């Protein structure tokens, strides 16, 4: 006997097909959404919910144009960026740790391999600290312009001023930077100054950091290593490495940094002193010799630097 009614399985399949056809997802072209004026000013909602008149669209465009016009640009066409001038205050107060108890057994030795508490570090690495030497890079921009005008003496003087300016950031900073990992890098890009800087730790023992910087008409590169000795009441830091500056016209200057000593580690107020002779050697007409006078107790005018230029 045959039945004209459909089986229950066939009915279920038919119902599923009808439901799937009704619930089929509709796809829309994204260009229809983003070209509508309702989304040009950051408004929310669907096209059916939000409608903007032509006048509102014009007001939004005028606001955007006025924002662009208020941006300030320098002479080279780069936007002037406002940057912070100091780090935020620490949340927790540093714990008092006796430095003497840490390094009393290392008098006369190199402290680069001595592990010190984190409280003796400042919140930057050695890679970042290398970039502080470029804080007054406008002196090199001036030196480049003077050289283009044929004034080699003013170029040499500006290079000498730049070599001294690298010590300006050491005032009141007696902590050491963190030691980066081998192969760690740091990159800085300052379009408003025309600077691009890159540094990398290339050796672990001894610790050697190499850096390279490009500016407006000049290139700067250096490798730095520090030999430190502890003398009981003071720590002596002897930089090892050569700093090289090359202008686009081929003139090159090279120099090395002077000795830095940190005094009053046990008693008294900590202070940092840079002393020694610095010779800035040029490959053309002028070279410079600078003398960083060592500070004494009777000095009323500490941190004196005297220099002279000589022709080759």
């Amino acid at each position: 006997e045959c039945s004209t009614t459909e089986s229950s399985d066939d009915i279920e399949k038919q119902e599923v097909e009808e439901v799937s056809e009704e619930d089929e997802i509709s796809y829309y072209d994204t260009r229809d959404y983003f070209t509508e004026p309702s989304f040009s000013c950051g408004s929310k909602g669907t096209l059916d919910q939000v409608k903007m008149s032509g006048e509102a669209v014009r007001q939004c465009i005028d606001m955007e144009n006025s924002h662009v016009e208020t941006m300030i640009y320098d002479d080279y066409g780069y936007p002037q960026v406002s940057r912070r001038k100091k780090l935020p205050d620490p949340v927790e107060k540093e714990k008092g740790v006796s430095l003497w108890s840490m390094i009393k057994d290392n008098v006369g030795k190199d402290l680069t391999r001595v592990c010190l508490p984190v409280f003796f570090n400042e919140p930057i690495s050695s890679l970042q600290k290398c970039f502080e030497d470029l804080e007054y890079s406008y002196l090199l921009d001036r030196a480049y312009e003077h050289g283009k005008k044929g004034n080699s003496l003013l170029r040499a003087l500006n290079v000498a001023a730049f070599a001294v300016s690298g010590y300006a950031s050491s005032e009141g900073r007696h902590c050491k930077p963190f030691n980066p990992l081998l192969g760690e890098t740091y990159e800085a890009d300052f379009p408003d100054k025309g600077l691009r800087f890159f540094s990398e730790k290339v050796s672990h023992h001894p610790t050697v950091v190499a850096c390279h910087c490009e500016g407006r008409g000049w290139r700067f590169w250096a490798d730095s290593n520090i030999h430190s000795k502890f003398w009981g009441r003071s720590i002596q830091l002897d930089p090892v490495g050569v700093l090289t500056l090359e202008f686009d016209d081929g003139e090159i200057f090279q120099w090395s940094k002077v000795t830095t000593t940190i005094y009053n580690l046990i008693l008294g107020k900590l202070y940092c002193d840079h002393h020694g002779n610095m010779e800035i050697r040029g490959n053309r007409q002028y070279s410079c010799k600078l003398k960083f006078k060592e500070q004494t107790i009777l000095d009323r005018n500490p941190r004196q630097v005297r220099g002279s230029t000589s022709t080759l």
Side-chain angles (χ1 to χ4, degrees):
E1 182 178 358
C2 297
S3 174
T4 57
T5 59
E6 297 179 354
S7 63
S8 60
D9 295 339
D10 296 337
I11 295 174
E12 290 179 359
K13 290 181 180 180
Q14 185 177 1
E15 291 178 354
V16 170
E17 291 177 357
E18 292 177 356
V19 172
S20 61
E21 291 178 358
E22 293 177 357
D23 296 341
E24 185 178 357
I25 301 175
S26 299
Y27 295 93
Y28 300 94
D29 192 351
T30 56
R31 291 178 297 180
D32 295 340
Y33 285 87
F34 289 103
T35 54
E36 289 293 332
S38 59
F39 286 84
S40 60
C41 289
S43 58
K44 299 180 180 180
T46 61
L47 293 176
D48 297 334
Q49 295 173 341
V50 181
K51 295 294 183 181
M52 294 181 64
S53 62
E55 183 179 357
V57 174
R58 287 192 296 271
Q59 292 178 357
C60 180
I61 295 175
D62 293 339
M63 291 174 60
E64 294 177 354
N65 292 336
S66 63
H67 174 70
V68 174
E69 292 176 357
T70 55
M71 295 183 65
I72 302 175
Y73 296 85
D74 59 10
D75 297 336
Y76 296 90
Y78 294 105
Q80 293 185 359
V81 183
S82 58
R83 305 181 186 274
R84 66 181 184 182
K85 297 182 179 179
K86 66 175 184 178
L87 294 173
D89 296 331
V91 178
E92 297 182 0
K93 189 177 181 180
E94 296 181 357
K95 300 179 181 179
V97 180
S98 175
L99 179 61
W100 174 251
S101 63
M102 298 291 174
I103 57 179
K104 62 182 180 180
D105 297 329
N106 299 282
V107 176
K109 298 181 181 179
D110 190 354
L111 295 180
T112 55
R113 300 194 180 189
V114 177
C115 295
L116 297 176
V118 71
F119 306 109
F120 295 106
N121 292 83
E122 57 181 346
I124 62 172
S125 69
S126 300
L127 303 177
Q128 294 172 276
K129 197 171 182 64
C130 289
F131 184 63
E132 294 182 358
D133 290 345
L134 280 303
E135 178 70 22
Y136 299 92
S137 61
Y138 69 88
L139 294 171
L140 299 183
D141 298 338
R142 292 180 181 178
Y144 174 67
E145 295 297 333
H146 287 307
K148 287 177 60 178
K149 297 177 182 178
N151 196 333
S152 300
L153 178 59
L154 282 180
R155 168 177 282 190
L157 293 178
N158 277 272
V159 172
F162 170 77
V164 177
S165 68
Y167 297 97
S169 61
S170 62
E171 174 65 22
R173 297 171 60 184
H174 311 121
C175 297
K176 71 182 188 70
F178 281 97
N179 188 13
L181 300 175
L182 180 62
E184 183 178 344
T185 60
Y186 171 77
E187 183 177 358
D189 187 10
F190 282 71
D192 51 333
K193 294 184 177 181
L195 286 182
R196 292 191 304 170
F197 175 86
F198 186 87
S199 59
E200 179 182 358
K201 182 178 179 180
V202 296
S203 176
H204 188 59
H205 287 301
T207 301
V208 178
V209 174
C211 65
H212 181 87
C213 183
E214 295 181 357
R216 294 167 179 159
W218 52 268
R219 290 180 298 276
F220 173 84
W221 64 90
D223 58 275
S224 62
N225 181 21
I226 294 180
H227 291 167
S228 61
K229 291 184 179 180
F230 174 56
W231 300 114
R233 296 180 56 187
S234 62
I235 294 180
Q236 179 178 328
L237 307 175
D238 296 317
V240 178
V242 178
L243 293 79
T244 304
L245 172 66
E246 181 181 6
F247 292 97
D248 286 352
D249 56 9
E251 189 169 8
I252 299 175
F253 293 91
Q254 289 183 323
W255 67 93
S256 298
K257 291 193 172 185
V258 298
T259 301
T260 299
T261 305
I262 302 176
Y263 294 95
N264 295 337
L265 295 177
I266 311 303
L267 296 174
K269 183 179 179 181
L270 280 174
Y271 71 93
C272 180
D273 184 32
H274 311 287
H275 54 90
N277 297 322
M278 176 186 293
E279 183 179 359
I280 304 175
R281 301 174 298 276
N283 66 338
R284 289 188 180 176
Q285 188 174 0
Y286 290 100
S287 294
C288 298
K289 292 183 179 180
L290 303 176
K291 182 177 182 180
F292 291 70
K293 185 179 179 181
E294 187 172 2
Q295 184 176 351
T296 61
I297 301 176
L298 301 178
D299 277 341
R300 295 184 178 181
N301 298 317
R303 302 179 182 86
Q304 296 183 17
V305 181
R306 296 182 179 180
S308 61
T309 59
S310 59
T311 57
L312 300 179

